[in-house]
Coordinates of all heavy atoms in Angstrom, one line a residue:
M627 N -3.0 -14.4 -12.9 CA -3.4 -13.9 -14.2 C -3.1 -12.4 -14.3 O -3.1 -11.7 -13.3 CB -5.0 -14.1 -14.3 CG -5.5 -14.1 -15.6 SD -7.2 -14.6 -15.6 CE -7.5 -14.2 -17.3
K628 N -2.9 -11.9 -15.5 CA -2.5 -10.5 -15.7 C -3.7 -9.6 -15.6 O -4.8 -9.9 -16.1 CB -1.8 -10.3 -17.0 CG -0.4 -10.9 -17.0 CD 0.4 -10.6 -18.2 CE 1.8 -11.1 -18.0 NZ 2.6 -11.2 -19.1
C629 N -3.5 -8.5 -14.9 CA -4.6 -7.5 -14.7 C -5.1 -7.0 -16.1 O -4.3 -6.7 -17.0 CB -4.1 -6.3 -13.9 SG -5.3 -5.1 -13.6
M630 N -6.4 -6.8 -16.2 CA -7.0 -6.3 -17.4 C -7.8 -5.0 -17.1 O -8.5 -4.5 -17.9 CB -7.9 -7.3 -18.0 CG -7.1 -8.5 -18.5 SD -8.2 -9.7 -19.3 CE -9.1 -10.5 -18.0
T631 N -7.6 -4.5 -15.8 CA -8.4 -3.3 -15.5 C -7.4 -2.1 -15.4 O -7.1 -1.5 -16.4 CB -9.2 -3.5 -14.2 OG1 -8.3 -3.8 -13.1 CG2 -10.3 -4.6 -14.4
I632 N -7.0 -1.8 -14.2 CA -6.1 -0.6 -14.0 C -4.7 -0.9 -14.2 O -4.0 -0.1 -14.9 CB -6.4 0.0 -12.6 CG1 -7.8 0.6 -12.6 CG2 -5.4 1.0 -12.2 CD1 -8.4 1.0 -11.2
K633 N -4.1 -1.9 -13.6 CA -2.7 -2.2 -13.7 C -2.5 -3.2 -14.8 O -1.9 -4.3 -14.6 CB -2.2 -2.8 -12.3 CG -2.4 -1.9 -11.2 CD -2.0 -2.6 -9.9 CE -2.3 -1.7 -8.7 NZ -2.1 -2.5 -7.4
K634 N -2.9 -2.8 -16.0 CA -2.9 -3.7 -17.2 C -1.5 -4.4 -17.4 O -0.5 -3.7 -17.4 CB -3.3 -2.9 -18.4 CG -4.7 -2.7 -18.5 CD -5.1 -2.0 -19.8 CE -6.6 -1.9 -20.0 NZ -7.3 -0.8 -19.4
G635 N -1.5 -5.7 -17.5 CA -0.3 -6.5 -17.7 C 0.4 -6.9 -16.5 O 1.4 -7.7 -16.6
V636 N 0.0 -6.4 -15.3 CA 0.7 -6.8 -14.1 C 0.1 -8.1 -13.5 O -1.2 -8.2 -13.5 CB 0.6 -5.7 -13.0 CG1 1.1 -6.1 -11.7 CG2 1.3 -4.4 -13.5
E637 N 0.9 -9.1 -13.1 CA 0.4 -10.3 -12.6 C -0.4 -10.0 -11.3 O 0.1 -9.3 -10.4 CB 1.5 -11.3 -12.2 CG 2.0 -12.2 -13.4 CD 0.9 -13.1 -14.0 OE1 0.0 -13.5 -13.3 OE2 1.0 -13.2 -15.2
C638 N -1.6 -10.6 -11.1 CA -2.4 -10.3 -10.0 C -3.2 -11.5 -9.6 O -3.8 -12.2 -10.5 CB -3.3 -9.1 -10.2 SG -4.3 -8.7 -8.8
A639 N -3.2 -11.9 -8.3 CA -3.9 -13.1 -7.8 C -5.4 -12.8 -7.8 O -6.2 -13.8 -7.8 CB -3.5 -13.4 -6.4
L640 N -5.8 -11.6 -7.9 CA -7.3 -11.3 -7.9 C -7.9 -11.3 -9.2 O -9.2 -11.3 -9.3 CB -7.5 -9.9 -7.2 CG -7.0 -9.8 -5.8 CD1 -7.0 -8.3 -5.3 CD2 -7.9 -10.6 -4.9
M641 N -7.1 -11.3 -10.3 CA -7.7 -11.3 -11.6 C -8.1 -12.7 -12.0 O -7.4 -13.7 -11.8 CB -6.7 -10.8 -12.6 CG -7.2 -10.6 -14.1 SD -8.7 -9.7 -14.2 CE -8.2 -8.0 -13.9
T642 N -9.4 -12.8 -12.6 CA -9.9 -14.1 -13.0 C -10.3 -14.0 -14.5 O -10.3 -12.9 -15.0 CB -11.1 -14.6 -12.2 OG1 -12.2 -13.7 -12.5 CG2 -10.9 -14.5 -10.7
S643 N -10.7 -15.1 -15.1 CA -11.2 -15.0 -16.5 C -12.5 -14.2 -16.6 O -12.8 -13.7 -17.7 CB -11.3 -16.4 -17.0 OG -12.2 -17.2 -16.2
E644 N -13.2 -14.0 -15.5 CA -14.4 -13.2 -15.5 C -14.1 -11.8 -15.1 O -15.0 -11.0 -14.9 CB -15.4 -13.8 -14.5 CG -16.2 -15.0 -15.1 CD -15.9 -16.3 -14.4 OE1 -15.9 -16.3 -13.2 OE2 -15.5 -17.2 -15.1
G645 N -12.9 -11.4 -14.9 CA -12.5 -10.1 -14.5 C -11.9 -10.0 -13.1 O -11.7 -11.0 -12.5
C646 N -11.8 -8.8 -12.6 CA -11.2 -8.6 -11.2 C -12.2 -9.1 -10.2 O -13.3 -8.7 -10.2 CB -10.9 -7.1 -11.0 SG -10.2 -6.7 -9.4
S647 N -11.7 -9.9 -9.3 CA -12.5 -10.4 -8.2 C -12.6 -9.6 -7.0 O -13.3 -9.9 -6.0 CB -12.1 -11.8 -7.8 OG -10.8 -11.8 -7.3
Y648 N -11.8 -8.4 -7.0 CA -11.8 -7.6 -5.8 C -13.1 -6.8 -5.7 O -13.7 -6.5 -6.8 CB -10.6 -6.7 -5.7 CG -10.5 -6.0 -4.4 CD1 -10.1 -6.7 -3.3 CD2 -10.8 -4.6 -4.3 CE1 -10.0 -6.1 -2.0 CE2 -10.7 -4.0 -3.0 CZ -10.3 -4.8 -1.9 OH -10.3 -4.2 -0.7
L649 N -13.5 -6.3 -4.5 CA -14.7 -5.5 -4.3 C -14.6 -4.3 -5.3 O -13.7 -3.5 -5.2 CB -14.6 -5.0 -2.9 CG -15.9 -4.9 -2.1 CD1 -16.6 -6.3 -2.0 CD2 -15.7 -4.3 -0.8
G650 N -15.6 -4.1 -6.0 CA -15.7 -3.0 -7.0 C -15.0 -3.3 -8.3 O -15.0 -2.5 -9.2
A651 N -14.4 -4.5 -8.4 CA -13.8 -5.0 -9.6 C -12.6 -4.2 -10.1 O -12.3 -4.2 -11.3 CB -14.8 -5.2 -10.7
H652 N -11.9 -3.5 -9.2 CA -10.7 -2.8 -9.6 C -10.0 -2.3 -8.3 O -10.5 -2.3 -7.2 CB -11.0 -1.6 -10.5 CG -11.9 -0.6 -9.8 ND1 -11.4 0.4 -9.0 CD2 -13.2 -0.4 -9.9 CE1 -12.4 1.2 -8.6 NE2 -13.5 0.7 -9.1
C653 N -8.7 -1.9 -8.5 CA -7.9 -1.4 -7.4 C -8.3 0.0 -7.1 O -8.9 0.7 -8.0 CB -6.4 -1.4 -7.8 SG -5.7 -3.0 -7.8
H654 N -8.0 0.5 -5.9 CA -8.4 1.8 -5.5 C -7.1 2.6 -5.2 O -6.1 2.1 -4.8 CB -9.2 1.8 -4.2 CG -10.5 1.1 -4.3 ND1 -11.7 1.7 -4.7 CD2 -10.8 -0.3 -4.3 CE1 -12.6 0.7 -4.8 NE2 -12.1 -0.4 -4.6
P655 N -7.1 3.9 -5.5 CA -5.9 4.7 -5.4 C -5.4 4.8 -3.9 O -6.2 4.5 -3.0 CB -6.3 6.1 -5.8 CG -7.5 5.9 -6.6 CD -8.2 4.7 -6.1
V656 N -4.1 5.2 -3.7 CA -3.6 5.3 -2.4 C -4.2 6.4 -1.6 O -4.9 7.3 -2.2 CB -2.0 5.5 -2.4 CG1 -1.3 4.3 -3.0 CG2 -1.7 6.8 -3.1
V657 N -4.1 6.4 -0.3 CA -4.6 7.5 0.6 C -3.4 8.4 1.0 O -2.2 8.0 0.8 CB -5.4 6.9 1.8 CG1 -6.6 6.2 1.3 CG2 -4.5 6.0 2.6
E658 N -3.7 9.5 1.7 CA -2.7 10.4 2.1 C -1.6 9.8 3.0 O -0.4 10.1 2.9 CB -3.4 11.6 2.9 CG -2.5 12.8 3.0 CD -3.3 13.9 3.7 OE1 -4.5 14.1 3.3 OE2 -2.7 14.6 4.6
K659 N -2.0 8.9 3.8 CA -1.1 8.2 4.8 C -0.1 7.3 4.0 O 1.0 7.0 4.6 CB -1.8 7.4 5.8 CG -2.6 8.2 6.8 CD -3.4 7.3 7.7 CE -4.1 8.1 8.7 NZ -5.1 7.3 9.5
C660 N -0.3 7.0 2.8 CA 0.6 6.2 2.0 C 1.8 7.0 1.4 O 2.8 6.5 1.0 CB -0.1 5.6 0.8 SG -1.4 4.4 1.2
E661 N 1.7 8.3 1.5 CA 2.7 9.2 0.9 C 4.1 8.9 1.5 O 4.2 8.9 2.7 CB 2.3 10.7 1.2 CG 3.0 11.6 0.3 CD 2.5 13.0 0.4 OE1 1.3 13.3 0.2 OE2 3.4 13.9 0.8
G662 N 5.0 8.6 0.7 CA 6.4 8.3 1.1 C 6.7 6.8 1.1 O 7.8 6.4 1.2
C663 N 5.7 6.0 0.9 CA 5.8 4.5 0.9 C 6.5 4.1 -0.5 O 6.1 4.6 -1.5 CB 4.5 3.9 1.1 SG 4.6 2.1 1.1
D664 N 7.4 3.2 -0.4 CA 8.0 2.7 -1.6 C 7.2 1.7 -2.4 O 7.5 1.4 -3.5 CB 9.3 1.9 -1.2 CG 10.4 2.8 -0.7 OD1 10.3 4.0 -0.9 OD2 11.3 2.2 0.0
R665 N 6.0 1.4 -1.9 CA 5.2 0.4 -2.6 C 4.1 1.1 -3.5 O 3.3 0.5 -4.1 CB 4.4 -0.5 -1.6 CG 5.4 -1.4 -0.9 CD 4.6 -2.3 0.0 NE 5.4 -2.9 1.0 CZ 6.1 -4.1 0.9 NH1 5.9 -4.8 -0.2 NH2 6.8 -4.5 1.9
T666 N 4.3 2.4 -3.7 CA 3.3 3.2 -4.5 C 3.8 3.1 -6.0 O 5.0 3.1 -6.2 CB 3.2 4.6 -4.1 OG1 4.4 5.3 -4.2 CG2 2.6 4.7 -2.7
T667 N 2.9 3.2 -6.9 CA 3.3 3.2 -8.3 C 2.1 3.8 -9.1 O 1.0 3.8 -8.7 CB 3.5 1.8 -8.8 OG1 4.0 1.8 -10.2 CG2 2.3 0.9 -8.8
E668 N 2.5 4.4 -10.3 CA 1.5 5.2 -11.0 C 0.9 4.3 -12.2 O 1.6 3.6 -12.9 CB 2.1 6.4 -11.6 CG 1.0 7.4 -12.2 CD 1.6 8.7 -12.7 OE1 2.7 9.1 -12.2 OE2 1.1 9.2 -13.7
F669 N -0.4 4.3 -12.3 CA -1.1 3.7 -13.4 C -2.2 4.7 -13.9 O -3.0 5.2 -13.0 CB -1.8 2.4 -13.0 CG -0.8 1.3 -12.8 CD1 -0.3 1.0 -11.6 CD2 -0.3 0.5 -13.9 CE1 0.6 -0.1 -11.4 CE2 0.6 -0.5 -13.7 CZ 1.0 -0.8 -12.5
Q670 N -2.3 4.9 -15.1 CA -3.3 5.8 -15.7 C -3.5 7.1 -15.0 O -4.6 7.6 -14.8 CB -4.6 5.0 -15.7 CG -4.6 3.7 -16.5 CD -5.9 2.9 -16.5 OE1 -7.0 3.5 -16.3 NE2 -5.8 1.6 -16.7
G671 N -2.3 7.7 -14.6 CA -2.3 9.0 -14.0 C -2.7 9.1 -12.5 O -2.8 10.2 -11.9
K672 N -2.9 7.9 -11.9 CA -3.2 7.9 -10.5 C -2.2 7.0 -9.8 O -1.6 6.1 -10.4 CB -4.6 7.4 -10.2 CG -5.7 8.3 -10.7 CD -7.1 7.9 -10.3 CE -8.1 8.9 -10.7 NZ -9.5 8.3 -10.5
I673 N -2.0 7.2 -8.5 CA -1.1 6.4 -7.7 C -1.8 5.3 -7.0 O -2.8 5.5 -6.3 CB -0.4 7.3 -6.6 CG1 0.2 8.6 -7.3 CG2 0.7 6.5 -5.9 CD1 1.3 8.4 -8.3
Y674 N -1.2 4.1 -7.2 CA -1.8 2.9 -6.6 C -0.7 2.2 -5.7 O 0.4 2.4 -5.9 CB -2.3 1.9 -7.7 CG -3.5 2.5 -8.4 CD1 -3.3 3.3 -9.5 CD2 -4.8 2.2 -7.9 CE1 -4.4 3.8 -10.2 CE2 -5.9 2.8 -8.6 CZ -5.7 3.6 -9.7 OH -6.8 4.1 -10.4
C675 N -1.2 1.2 -4.9 CA -0.3 0.4 -4.1 C 0.1 -0.8 -4.9 O -0.8 -1.4 -5.5 CB -1.0 0.1 -2.8 SG 0.0 -1.1 -1.8
K676 N 1.3 -1.2 -4.9 CA 1.8 -2.4 -5.6 C 1.3 -3.7 -4.8 O 1.3 -4.8 -5.4 CB 3.3 -2.5 -5.7 CG 3.9 -1.4 -6.7 CD 5.4 -1.6 -6.7 CE 6.1 -0.3 -7.0 NZ 7.5 -0.4 -6.8
S677 N 1.1 -3.5 -3.5 CA 0.8 -4.7 -2.7 C -0.6 -5.0 -2.3 O -1.0 -6.1 -1.9 CB 1.7 -4.6 -1.4 OG 3.0 -4.4 -1.7
Y678 N -1.4 -3.9 -2.3 CA -2.8 -4.1 -1.8 C -3.8 -3.3 -2.7 O -3.5 -2.2 -3.1 CB -2.8 -3.6 -0.4 CG -4.0 -4.0 0.4 CD1 -4.1 -5.4 0.8 CD2 -5.0 -3.2 0.7 CE1 -5.2 -5.8 1.5 CE2 -6.2 -3.6 1.4 CZ -6.2 -5.0 1.8 OH -7.3 -5.4 2.4
P679 N -4.9 -3.9 -3.0 CA -5.9 -3.2 -3.9 C -6.6 -2.0 -3.3 O -7.1 -1.2 -4.0 CB -6.9 -4.3 -4.3 CG -6.8 -5.3 -3.1 CD -5.4 -5.2 -2.6
E680 N -6.7 -2.0 -1.9 CA -7.5 -0.9 -1.3 C -6.7 -0.3 -0.1 O -7.0 -0.7 1.0 CB -8.9 -1.4 -0.9 CG -9.8 -0.2 -0.5 CD -11.2 -0.6 -0.3 OE1 -11.5 -1.8 -0.4 OE2 -12.1 0.3 0.0
P681 N -5.8 0.6 -0.4 CA -5.0 1.2 0.7 C -5.8 1.8 1.9 O -5.3 1.6 3.0 CB -4.2 2.3 -0.1 CG -4.1 1.8 -1.4 CD -5.4 1.1 -1.7
A682 N -6.9 2.4 1.6 CA -7.6 3.0 2.8 C -8.0 1.9 3.8 O -7.9 2.2 5.0 CB -8.9 3.6 2.2
A683 N -8.3 0.7 3.3 CA -8.6 -0.4 4.3 C -7.4 -0.8 5.1 O -7.6 -1.2 6.3 CB -9.2 -1.6 3.5
K684 N -6.2 -0.6 4.6 CA -5.0 -1.0 5.3 C -4.7 -0.1 6.5 O -4.0 -0.4 7.4 CB -3.8 -1.0 4.4 CG -3.7 -2.1 3.4 CD -3.8 -3.5 4.0 CE -2.6 -4.0 4.6 NZ -2.7 -5.3 5.2
W685 N -5.3 1.1 6.4 CA -5.1 2.1 7.5 C -6.3 2.3 8.4 O -6.2 3.0 9.4 CB -4.8 3.5 6.9 CG -3.5 3.6 6.2 CD1 -3.2 3.3 4.9 CD2 -2.2 3.8 6.8 NE1 -1.8 3.4 4.7 CE2 -1.2 3.8 5.9 CE3 -1.8 4.1 8.1 CZ2 0.1 4.0 6.1 CZ3 -0.5 4.4 8.4 CH2 0.5 4.3 7.4
E686 N -7.4 1.5 8.2 CA -8.6 1.7 9.0 C -8.3 1.3 10.5 O -8.9 1.9 11.4 CB -9.7 0.8 8.4 CG -10.5 1.6 7.4 CD -11.6 0.7 6.8 OE1 -11.8 -0.4 7.3 OE2 -12.2 1.2 5.9
R687 N -7.5 0.3 10.7 CA -7.3 -0.2 12.1 C -5.9 0.1 12.6 O -5.2 -0.8 13.1 CB -7.7 -1.6 12.2 CG -9.1 -1.9 12.0 CD -9.5 -3.3 12.3 NE -10.8 -3.5 11.8 CZ -11.3 -4.7 11.6 NH1 -10.6 -5.8 11.7 NH2 -12.6 -4.8 11.2
G688 N -5.4 1.3 12.3 CA -4.0 1.6 12.7 C -3.1 1.7 11.5 O -3.6 2.2 10.5
A689 N -1.9 1.3 11.7 CA -0.9 1.5 10.6 C -0.9 0.3 9.6 O -1.2 -0.8 10.0 CB 0.5 1.6 11.2
C690 N -0.6 0.6 8.3 CA -0.5 -0.4 7.3 C 0.7 -1.3 7.6 O 1.8 -0.8 7.8 CB -0.4 0.3 5.9 SG 0.0 -0.9 4.6
N691 N 0.5 -2.6 7.6 CA 1.6 -3.4 7.9 C 2.5 -3.7 6.8 O 3.6 -4.3 6.9 CB 1.1 -4.8 8.5 CG 0.2 -5.5 7.5 OD1 -0.5 -4.9 6.7 ND2 0.2 -6.8 7.5
F692 N 2.2 -3.2 5.6 CA 3.1 -3.3 4.4 C 3.9 -2.0 4.2 O 4.8 -2.0 3.4 CB 2.3 -3.5 3.1 CG 1.6 -4.8 3.1 CD1 0.5 -4.9 2.3 CD2 2.0 -5.9 3.8 CE1 -0.3 -6.1 2.2 CE2 1.3 -7.1 3.7 CZ 0.2 -7.2 2.9
A693 N 3.6 -1.0 4.9 CA 4.2 0.3 4.7 C 5.7 0.3 4.9 O 6.2 -0.3 5.8 CB 3.6 1.4 5.7
T694 N 6.5 1.0 4.0 CA 7.9 1.1 4.1 C 8.4 2.4 4.7 O 9.6 2.5 5.0 CB 8.6 0.9 2.7 OG1 8.1 2.1 1.9 CG2 8.2 -0.4 2.1
H695 N 7.5 3.3 4.9 CA 7.9 4.7 5.4 C 7.6 5.0 6.8 O 7.8 6.1 7.3 CB 7.3 5.7 4.5 CG 5.8 5.7 4.5 ND1 5.0 4.6 4.3 CD2 4.9 6.7 4.7 CE1 3.7 4.9 4.4 NE2 3.6 6.2 4.6
I696 N 7.1 4.0 7.5 CA 6.7 4.2 8.9 C 7.2 3.0 9.7 O 7.3 1.9 9.2 CB 5.2 4.5 9.2 CG1 4.4 3.4 8.6 CG2 4.8 5.9 8.7 CD1 3.6 2.6 9.6
Q697 N 7.3 3.2 11.0 CA 7.6 2.1 11.9 C 6.6 2.1 13.1 O 6.5 3.1 13.8 CB 9.0 2.2 12.5 CG 9.4 1.0 13.3 CD 10.8 1.1 13.7 OE1 11.4 2.1 13.9 NE2 11.4 -0.1 13.9
A698 N 5.8 1.1 13.2 CA 4.7 1.1 14.2 C 5.3 0.4 15.5 O 5.8 -0.7 15.4 CB 3.5 0.5 13.7
T699 N 5.1 1.0 16.6 CA 5.5 0.3 17.9 C 4.3 0.4 18.9 O 3.5 1.3 18.8 CB 6.7 1.0 18.5 OG1 6.5 2.4 18.6 CG2 8.0 0.8 17.7
V700 N 4.3 -0.5 19.8 CA 3.3 -0.5 20.8 C 3.9 0.0 22.1 O 4.9 -0.5 22.6 CB 2.7 -1.9 21.0 CG1 1.6 -1.8 22.1 CG2 2.1 -2.4 19.7
D701 N 3.3 1.1 22.7 CA 3.9 1.6 24.0 C 3.4 0.8 25.2 O 2.6 -0.2 25.1 CB 3.6 3.1 24.1 CG 2.2 3.4 24.4 OD1 1.4 2.5 24.6 OD2 1.8 4.6 24.3
K702 N 3.8 1.2 26.4 CA 3.4 0.5 27.6 C 1.9 0.4 27.9 O 1.5 -0.6 28.5 CB 4.1 1.1 28.8 CG 5.6 1.0 28.9 CD 6.2 1.7 30.0 CE 7.7 1.7 29.9 NZ 8.3 2.6 30.9
T703 N 1.2 1.4 27.4 CA -0.3 1.3 27.6 C -1.0 0.5 26.5 O -2.2 0.4 26.6 CB -0.8 2.8 27.6 OG1 -0.6 3.4 26.3 CG2 -0.2 3.6 28.7
G704 N -0.3 0.0 25.6 CA -0.9 -0.8 24.5 C -1.3 0.1 23.3 O -1.9 -0.4 22.3
K705 N -0.9 1.4 23.3 CA -1.3 2.3 22.2 C -0.3 2.1 21.1 O 0.9 2.0 21.3 CB -1.2 3.7 22.7 CG -2.6 4.4 22.8 CD -2.4 5.8 23.2 CE -3.3 6.7 22.4 NZ -3.2 8.1 22.8
V706 N -0.7 2.1 19.8 CA 0.2 2.0 18.7 C 0.7 3.3 18.4 O 0.0 4.3 18.2 CB -0.6 1.4 17.5 CG1 0.3 1.3 16.2 CG2 -1.1 0.0 17.8
K707 N 2.0 3.4 18.3 CA 2.7 4.7 18.0 C 3.4 4.5 16.6 O 4.0 3.5 16.4 CB 3.8 4.9 19.1 CG 4.3 6.3 19.1 CD 5.2 6.5 20.3 CE 6.0 7.8 20.1 NZ 7.1 7.9 21.0
I708 N 3.2 5.5 15.8 CA 3.7 5.5 14.4 C 4.9 6.4 14.3 O 4.7 7.6 14.5 CB 2.6 5.7 13.4 CG1 1.5 4.7 13.5 CG2 3.2 5.7 12.0 CD1 0.3 5.0 12.7
N709 N 6.0 6.0 13.9 CA 7.2 6.8 13.6 C 7.6 6.8 12.2 O 7.7 5.7 11.6 CB 8.4 6.3 14.5 CG 8.1 6.3 15.9 OD1 7.5 7.3 16.5 ND2 8.5 5.3 16.6
P710 N 7.7 8.0 11.6 CA 8.2 8.0 10.2 C 9.6 7.5 10.1 O 10.4 7.9 11.0 CB 8.0 9.4 9.7 CG 7.9 10.2 11.0 CD 7.5 9.3 12.1
L711 N 10.0 6.7 9.2 CA 11.3 6.3 9.0 C 12.1 7.3 8.3 O 11.6 7.9 7.3 CB 11.4 5.0 8.2 CG 11.0 3.7 8.9 CD1 11.0 2.6 7.9 CD2 11.8 3.4 10.0
K712 N 13.3 7.6 8.7 CA 14.1 8.6 8.0 C 14.6 8.0 6.7 O 15.0 6.9 6.6 CB 15.3 9.0 8.9 CG 14.8 9.8 10.1 CD 15.8 10.8 10.5 CE 15.2 11.8 11.4 NZ 15.7 11.8 12.7
A713 N 14.7 8.9 5.7 CA 15.1 8.4 4.4 C 16.5 7.8 4.5 O 16.8 6.8 3.8 CB 15.1 9.6 3.4
S714 N 17.4 8.4 5.3 CA 18.8 7.9 5.4 C 18.8 6.4 6.0 O 19.6 5.6 5.5 CB 19.6 8.7 6.3 OG 19.0 8.8 7.6
K715 N 17.8 6.1 6.9 CA 17.8 4.8 7.4 C 17.3 3.8 6.3 O 17.8 2.7 6.2 CB 16.8 4.7 8.6 CG 17.3 5.2 9.9 CD 16.3 5.0 11.0 CE 16.8 5.6 12.3 NZ 15.8 5.5 13.3
R716 N 16.3 4.2 5.5 CA 15.8 3.4 4.5 C 16.9 3.2 3.4 O 17.1 2.1 3.0 CB 14.6 4.0 3.8 CG 13.4 3.8 4.7 CD 12.1 4.3 3.9 NE 12.0 5.7 4.0 CZ 11.4 6.5 3.1 NH1 10.9 5.9 2.1 NH2 11.3 7.7 3.3
A717 N 17.7 4.2 3.1 CA 18.8 4.1 2.1 C 19.8 3.1 2.7 O 20.4 2.3 1.9 CB 19.4 5.5 1.9
A718 N 20.1 3.2 3.9 CA 21.1 2.3 4.5 C 20.7 0.8 4.4 O 21.5 0.0 4.3 CB 21.3 2.7 6.0
R719 N 19.4 0.6 4.4 CA 18.9 -0.8 4.3 C 18.8 -1.2 2.8 O 18.3 -2.2 2.5 CB 17.5 -0.9 4.9 CG 17.6 -0.9 6.4 CD 16.3 -1.3 7.0 NE 15.1 -0.9 6.2 CZ 14.0 -0.5 6.7 NH1 13.9 -0.3 8.0 NH2 13.0 -0.1 5.9
G720 N 19.2 -0.3 1.9 CA 19.2 -0.6 0.5 C 17.9 -0.2 -0.2 O 17.7 -0.6 -1.3
R721 N 17.0 0.5 0.5 CA 15.8 1.0 -0.2 C 15.8 2.5 -0.3 O 16.5 3.2 0.3 CB 14.6 0.6 0.7 CG 14.3 -0.9 0.7 CD 13.0 -1.1 1.2 NE 13.1 -2.0 2.4 CZ 12.2 -2.1 3.3 NH1 11.1 -1.4 3.2 NH2 12.3 -2.8 4.3
R722 N 14.9 3.0 -1.2 CA 14.8 4.4 -1.4 C 13.5 4.9 -0.9 O 12.6 4.2 -0.8 CB 14.9 4.8 -2.9 CG 16.4 4.6 -3.3 CD 16.5 5.0 -4.7 NE 17.9 4.9 -5.1 CZ 18.5 5.7 -5.9 NH1 17.8 6.6 -6.5 NH2 19.7 5.5 -6.2
Ligands
LIG909 S1 2.0 -0.7 1.4 FE1 0.5 0.3 2.8 S2 1.3 2.4 3.1 FE2 2.4 1.5 1.3 S3 1.2 2.2 -0.5 FE3 0.4 0.2 0.1 S4 -1.3 0.6 1.4 FE4 -0.1 2.5 1.3

């Protein structure tokens, strides 16, 4: 169903005939760690994620698994290491 709250007109699986079914009944803006991600988009003067309604929650337990601007790897000790992807690498893959 198409969004009737923040991303008006955008198809969304969370929208129902009774309104947005997500917590708080609307999407939440991106967080600082989302900066540089290709999945961001502007609605009503604020930046939101195209893929997830609450970006802060995607970063609570490490790196966002939808992020296009970082690469998460696990080192020998089991620690998650986050590397920013270089713009040239992303461009080579056909993304900006
Ligand atoms: S995909 Fe992840 S990193 Fe990118 S905007 Fe959405 S929540 Fe932020």
Side-chain angles (χ1 to χ4, degrees):
M627 205 170 165
K628 288 188 177 168
C629 178
M630 294 181 288
T631 58
I632 290 171
K633 300 175 184 173
K634 285 185 172 82
V636 174
E637 274 302 325
C638 181
L640 297 170
M641 185 53 72
T642 70
S643 53
E644 279 112 49
C646 179
S647 62
Y648 191 70
L649 217 63
H652 61 83
C653 287
H654 300 267
V656 295
V657 294
E658 198 175 317
K659 289 176 180 172
C660 299
E661 200 173 298
C663 181
D664 290 342
R665 295 183 199 266
T666 59
T667 186
E668 189 177 332
F669 285 97
Q670 301 178 26
K672 289 186 178 172
I673 309 294
Y674 292 89
C675 176
K676 291 183 210 168
S677 306
Y678 198 71
E680 191 169 3
K684 292 302 286 179
W685 288 95
E686 270 178 9
R687 294 186 190 162
C690 171
N691 59 329
F692 295 155
T694 63
H695 61 310
I696 54 116
Q697 184 174 32
T699 52
V700 180
D701 69 12
K702 289 176 188 169
T703 64
K705 253 183 134 177
V706 176
K707 195 175 168 194
I708 299 169
N709 299 316
L711 287 178
K712 290 215 166 110
S714 59
K715 282 185 185 174
R716 283 188 278 155
R719 287 194 326 221
R721 290 195 238 160
R722 289 182 176 214

